[in-house]
Amino acid sequence: MKDNIRYVVPYVPGEQPDEKNMIKLNTNENPYPPAPGVKSILDSYSAEELRLYPSPVSKDLVEEIAALHKVDCDRVFVGVGSDDVLALMFLTYFNSGKPILFPDITYSFYDVWADLYRIPYKRPKLDDNFRIVPEDYKQENGGIVIANPNAPTGVFESQETIESIIEANKDVVVIIDEAYVDFGPATMMSLADKYDNVVVVRTFSKSRSLAGMRIGYAIGSKALIKALNDVRYSFNSYPMTRLSIQVGAESIKDEKYFNECVEKIKKTREWTKAELKNLGFTFPDSQTNFIFAKHEKVSAVTIFEELRKKHIYVRHFNADRIDNYLRITIGTDEEMKTFINEVKEILERQ
Ligand code: PMP
C-alpha cells in the first residue's frame, strides 16, 4: 500500500494566530477592510441562494476582470486564490520533462508544486542584491516562473529585464506572478497581449483585502486559458462559490476605494523604510506591501522571537541565504508605530 501513495512535503504558510490584540505582519494581508460594497453584499446575502450551484464559468467575476483589463472573457481564468491558479498552471503548462526555471529566492510554493507533479526544476541564483540575472534564463528549459515584484524580497524587475527573458523563451510558457504588483511601479500585463506564451497571475488577497475569500486569476492567450480551463474542469466544475463570484466582482467596481487603500499602504511602507533604516536595518528597496529586512547586529531569529512575545508576528524563513532576514508586512500607521517602538526596545536590550 505504502508504495502506491504520493508522498509530498507540503508548503507551510505563515501562522494564523487567533489573538485579540495581536499585530499580524506575517502573511502580507491588507490591514484595511475590503471595499464597502463587499460589506453590503454580505449584510444582505440570502442563505436561500446557497441551494444552487454557482455559475460554472464564474460569469460576473470573469466579466468584471475582463473589463478591468480590457480583454475578452476567454482570456481570463479565475481560481480559488492565486495558489489554485498557479498549481493548475504548473500541471497544465510544464509537461516537457525539461527543468523549469525560477529563482533560488522566490515564492516558496513553486518548488512544492514542482515536486508534487514531479516536474524537474532549476533555481538560478539571484545576485547579491537579490536581482535576477537574465542570462541564467537563456538555457534550455521546460518553462519559467517569475514573481514580479518578487517575494519575499520585494524587488521589482523592469519590463526590459522580463521581456528579454521572454524573448529568449518563446517556445515555453512564462508565468509572471503579480501578487504584489498593485504596490509596485508597473505591470507586465501588456506582455500577455504581446506574447502568446505569457500568462500573468493576480490575486485579490493583498491589494483588494480579500485573502479570506480566496480569489485569484490569470490573463493569457486564448489557447493557454482554454488549456487551463480544460484541466480545471477535469477537477471541479464549480470552483468559485456564489459568494466569492459576487464579492470579487463588487470589489473591482470600487476603483476609488482600491486606490486609496493602496496609496495608504505605500505611504506607510515608505515611513517604515525610513524608520528601519534609522534603526540599523538594511533591505532591498521594496515595491510591495512588505519589507524584507536584516539588522546589522542583531539576528533575525532574536528579533522574531522577541516580537512574538509582544504578540507582534512577522515572517522568518529558515532557508539558505535569507535566514537572517525578516519579512515584515505593512500594517496600519498605528500598527507600524507600535512595531517600530517594540523593535527599538528589543535592539536596546541586546
Ligand atoms: N504568489 C505570491 C508571490 C505570493 O506571495 C502569494 C501569497 N502567499 C501567492 C501567490 C498566493 O496568494 P493567494 O493564494 O492568496 O492568491
Side-chain angles (χ1 to χ4, degrees):
M1 182 195 81
K2 278 189 191 153
D3 293 344
N4 295 335
I5 291 172
R6 185 177 293 252
Y7 294 100
V8 289
V9 181
Y11 173 76
V12 183
E15 60 183 319
Q16 292 290 349
D18 196 12
E19 296 169 16
K20 258 216 173 107
N21 291 318
M22 66 176 173
I23 296 185
K24 193 170 175 307
L25 310 175
N26 70 332
T27 50
N28 296 342
E29 288 142 330
N30 194 311
Y32 302 110
V38 168
K39 184 171 184 319
S40 310
I41 287 181
L42 296 177
D43 286 349
S44 62
Y45 198 78
S46 158
E48 172 74 5
E49 266 196 42
L50 296 178
R51 288 184 310 107
L52 303 171
Y53 281 111
S55 155
V57 293
S58 309
K59 187 170 175 290
D60 293 354
L61 178 58
V62 165
E63 283 177 0
E64 284 298 331
I65 294 169
L68 177 70
H69 293 290
K70 302 186 175 57
V71 298
D72 291 339
C73 287
D74 54 7
R75 291 192 51 208
V76 178
F77 177 87
V78 293
V80 186
S82 56
D83 280 343
D84 181 48
V85 177
L86 286 158
L88 287 165
M89 284 182 163
F90 273 56
L91 181 62
T92 310
Y93 299 145
F94 299 149
N95 295 290
S96 69
K98 293 178 193 162
I100 62 166
L101 306 176
F102 47 85
D104 67 331
I105 302 165
T106 190
Y107 185 29
S108 46
F109 221 141
Y110 298 156
D111 51 320
V112 173
W113 287 312
D115 286 334
L116 169 63
Y117 301 130
R118 296 168 187 159
I119 300 165
Y121 57 93
K122 284 190 196 162
R123 316 185 60 170
K125 271 192 158 185
L126 296 177
D127 74 12
D128 290 345
N129 298 316
F130 297 144
R131 307 304 301 242
I132 282 183
V133 182
E135 290 312 308
D136 292 344
Y137 295 81
K138 295 173 187 171
Q139 55 177 306
E140 198 176 12
N141 66 74
I144 292 175
V145 190
I146 294 174
N148 195 40
N150 197 10
T153 63
V155 170
F156 172 80
E157 298 289 357
S158 70
Q159 178 152 337
E160 209 183 343
T161 301
I162 301 294
E163 195 161 3
S164 78
I165 292 171
I166 295 166
E167 275 292 335
N169 288 285
K170 288 188 177 162
D171 54 352
V172 295
V173 175
V174 179
I175 298 174
I176 316 284
D177 179 352
E178 290 196 334
Y180 300 100
V181 76
D182 294 317
F183 308 103
T187 171
M188 304 294 135
M189 210 45 109
S190 67
L191 299 178
D193 295 333
K194 190 169 168 187
Y195 298 94
D196 279 354
N197 63 322
V198 173
V199 263
V200 175
V201 184
R202 295 280 190 91
T203 179
F204 281 54
S205 299
K206 322 290 178 181
S207 53
R208 295 194 179 275
S209 308
L210 285 168
M213 199 43 97
R214 312 304 296 128
I215 307 172
Y217 64 99
I219 309 262
S221 61
K222 284 180 188 175
L224 284 185
I225 296 302
K226 161 111 181 37
L228 194 56
N229 266 320
D230 287 348
V231 169
R232 140 72 72 224
Y233 295 126
S234 305
F235 276 101
N236 188 342
S237 313
Y238 306 103
M240 309 302 286
T241 65
R242 296 183 78 89
L243 202 52
S244 61
I245 292 169
Q246 266 197 49
V247 160
E250 184 62 33
S251 149
I252 292 181
K253 288 179 193 154
D254 199 337
E255 205 178 328
K256 184 168 170 279
Y257 179 83
F258 170 80
N259 288 330
E260 281 167 7
C261 281
V262 167
E263 285 313 311
K264 269 199 284 192
I265 290 168
K266 283 162 76 172
K267 203 166 154 227
T268 311
R269 175 186 72 199
E270 296 310 310
W271 177 87
T272 310
K273 282 181 189 172
E275 294 290 318
L276 286 173
K277 212 171 182 177
N278 281 341
L279 292 177
F281 284 88
T282 54
F283 43 85
D285 189 33
S286 165
Q287 301 293 334
T288 58
N289 67 335
F290 56 84
I291 298 171
F292 196 53
K294 76 169 177 191
H295 193 263
E296 57 196 12
K297 293 202 185 85
V298 183
S299 81
V301 172
T302 303
I303 301 170
F304 175 87
E305 295 293 348
E306 292 298 312
L307 282 171
R308 238 183 111 83
K309 288 181 193 161
K310 300 283 181 175
H311 308 278
I312 299 176
Y313 294 89
V314 295
R315 189 93 195 259
H316 174 253
F317 297 91
N318 200 0
D320 201 25
R321 294 177 79 198
I322 57 169
D323 56 354
N324 206 21
Y325 282 82
L326 294 174
R327 194 194 65 189
I328 304 146
T329 304
I330 303 301
T332 61
D333 284 341
E334 204 177 306
E335 285 174 326
M336 297 323 282
K337 275 179 199 152
T338 308
F339 162 78
I340 288 290
N341 286 336
E342 287 298 341
V343 170
K344 239 182 235 170
E345 286 185 22
I346 292 167
L347 297 177
E348 278 162 11
R349 285 204 298 271
Q350 301 304 309

